[in-house]
Amino acid sequence: MSSHDRKERFYITTPIYYVNDLPHIGHAYTSLACDVMARYYRIRGIDSRLLTGTDEHGLKIQRSAESRGETPQALTDRISDNFRLLAGEMNVSYDDFIRTTEERHKEECQKLWCRLYDRGDIYKGKYAGWYATSDEAYVEESELIEKDGKYVVASGAEVEWVEEESYFFRLSRFQDRLLDYYKSHPDFVYPKSRYNEVVSFVEGGLEDLSVSRTTFSWGVPVPGDESHVMYVWLDALVNYVSALGRVDPPSALHEKYWPADWHVVGKDILRVHAGYLPAFLMSADLPLPRGVFAHGWWTSEGQKISKRLGNVLDPVKLKRMYGLDQLRYFLLREVPFGRDGDFVRRRLCERNNADLANDYGNLCQRTLVLLSRYGEGIMPRLEGLLAGDEAFLLKVGEALKCSEVAMERLGFDEALSEIWKCLRMANIYIDNEEPWRVVKEDRVRGVLILGVILEVLRRVSLYVWPFMPDSCDKILDLLGVGLEDRRMESLEKPVAGGTQLPPPEIVFPRLREEEIEDGT
Ligand code: MSP
């Protein structure tokens, strides 16, 4: 049994988002993936916690506030709110939203710093090097490109030469311990290809990390030396711990949820999460997360997303155009989680029409209409099933089990494809059984066929619920499933025979791309 199989509680985190940008599809994507996982465990009765938030310190924010004539606090308050609103718009069921400018964070951050310092893992030295301000990163001389008499890096960010007194974290000390840890925890980094990338990165050698700055003041002050503020990555990574409250003595939340099950991040920030974070935690003598999952990046209609190209995908606009659950489904179904993907609107419409409107919605609608026509909309008792019905239900059960295995590894596309196998089987079943014909000769049998399909739709909807909670709730309403039975514990409990179902309604309308208007 791997460490990811421990089930009594579940803690998952999104990265905390920089507040120098408006929320875009990349932010929505990570948060949605985490939301699906948190809901997946919740519906299984597992106490699960989802953390998200904003990363608010650093030179970039300080400068950006100055240039607008605002205080950094006012700027971060305003922009952080956009991320909170985005989570609401995307139906992301977060349990906590942390801001690195909150006192609770700063306090724990300082205490952790002291722990690292007391261990002898932080020392004072001098840093000199090229710094790319808008990337918030020091860069190697070899990465510099000359442009219009200035130096820039590949991202286009300008660099400046910085010399400053700095505290350093003895990252080099942790190289062997990290490598041992990866070896004994092959599930620590997902997907597998990313695991290899992290191992080679650490094998390549780790230098001590500069963890403080004196060139700006918008940050967490270093305890005992307030001319320094903490380097943004140290400050930011600590959020996953500080959000749970006190470490020493541990708060109830810390005891219950630390370490996290998954830190879900984009591929660009995998190394800091799978390399720096574990080293900080080892130094602080805190348990390491069970896993770090790196997802890929979206392009838009084949092009890199950039403000310059004006093709930034605004998730709220997309929601207005296509529907929230349609967007949630597309993002997690279209591309295997971990790979890069291309956002193609035509594909979203096709997927919506084939998977949601046809396979799922139409099956539901058709069956319910037949039941209301031939069975007065009353759910039949599932008695007198034929061998073929039993075999069909068994196959459905097997596919749903396979989807669980995929979900444990954040294999959303695979899980959905297993679930959709059930819907395809159900569509074949209804076509083969022809209940509309059978009811005319044997009403009881005809209605029973409809009952079997509705039972499959009920089970499927419980599995799809974490992905599309609103739509599945609508379907579960139509299927007569009480609120108390919308959980996996009730999986084996069909809707009672004799239940009067509400009038059928279409849940997933078809989308015609040419009719969709830009929602601005
Ligand atoms: N503040 C840091 C994270 C600190 S976590 C302790 C940060 N913030 S960010 O706002 O720049 O990025 C947040 C996430 O958005 C990252 O995981 C990044 O990979 C993701 N994405 C940014 N653009 C993206 C796409 N085009 N596609 C998918 N995800 C992308 O980094």
Side-chain angles (χ1 to χ4, degrees), residues 161-371:
W161 181 254
V162 181
E163 272 187 35
E164 54 178 318
E165 185 185 82
S166 170
Y167 285 93
F168 285 84
F169 175 72
R170 290 190 202 278
L171 187 61
S172 56
R173 245 194 203 172
F174 291 86
Q175 181 167 354
D176 293 341
R177 280 177 71 188
L178 284 171
L179 289 171
D180 286 346
Y181 190 82
Y182 302 146
K183 209 185 240 170
S184 55
H185 296 80
D187 281 343
F188 183 63
V189 179
Y190 251 77
K192 205 71 212 155
S193 53
R194 298 282 171 200
Y195 171 89
N196 300 333
E197 175 192 317
V198 169
V199 171
S200 351
F201 161 63
V202 175
E203 273 173 352
L206 294 176
E207 282 179 19
D208 288 353
L209 189 69
S210 160
V211 286
S212 79
R213 297 288 178 270
T214 51
T215 40
F216 62 92
S217 55
W218 185 241
V220 182
V222 166
D225 193 351
E226 308 230 331
S227 57
H228 287 252
V229 292
M230 289 181 206
Y231 169 54
V232 278
W233 272 111
L234 174 60
D235 163 6
L237 289 166
V238 168
N239 91 88
Y240 304 128
V241 188
S242 67
L244 296 176
R246 227 186 15 234
V247 171
D248 193 18
S251 66
L253 282 179
H254 182 92
E255 281 210 314
K256 185 163 188 186
Y257 294 108
W258 190 261
D261 289 82
W262 288 108
H263 295 304
V264 180
V265 298
K267 61 181 182 181
D268 54 319
I269 54 174
L270 171 63
R271 290 176 184 189
V272 291
H273 280 82
Y276 300 176
L277 175 64
F280 295 150
L281 294 171
M282 282 172 178
S283 170
D285 212 10
L286 286 173
L288 265 49
R290 289 155 215 282
V292 178
F293 195 108
H295 66 71
W297 272 45
W298 286 94
T299 47
S300 172
E301 313 281 342
Q303 277 186 319
K304 188 171 178 238
I305 297 176
S306 86
K307 272 195 224 153
R308 198 174 44 80
L309 291 173
N311 64 351
V312 174
L313 293 167
D314 173 351
V316 176
K317 235 197 246 174
L318 292 170
K319 163 184 164 174
R320 298 217 176 99
M321 289 159 80
Y322 300 104
L324 173 61
D325 283 346
Q326 287 75 358
L327 178 65
R328 288 175 60 115
Y329 175 78
F330 176 73
L331 290 174
L332 295 170
R333 176 66 187 89
E334 179 72 355
V335 177
F337 201 55
R339 298 239 195 104
D340 291 338
D342 190 24
F343 194 98
V344 177
R345 286 156 198 262
R346 181 185 44 77
R347 286 289 302 146
L348 192 157
C349 292
E350 282 168 8
R351 277 225 175 264
N352 174 76
N353 294 347
D355 302 0
L356 303 183
N358 283 357
D359 293 347
Y360 194 12
N362 190 39
L363 176 69
C364 198
Q365 173 74 358
R366 238 172 128 191
T367 315
L368 288 168
V369 165
L370 286 170
L371 188 73

Side-chain angles (χ1 to χ4, degrees), residues 31 50 84 93 122 267 313 347 361 504:
S31 295
L50 164 52
R84 208 187 278 268
S93 58
I122 287 183
K267 61 181 182 181
L313 293 167
R347 286 289 302 146

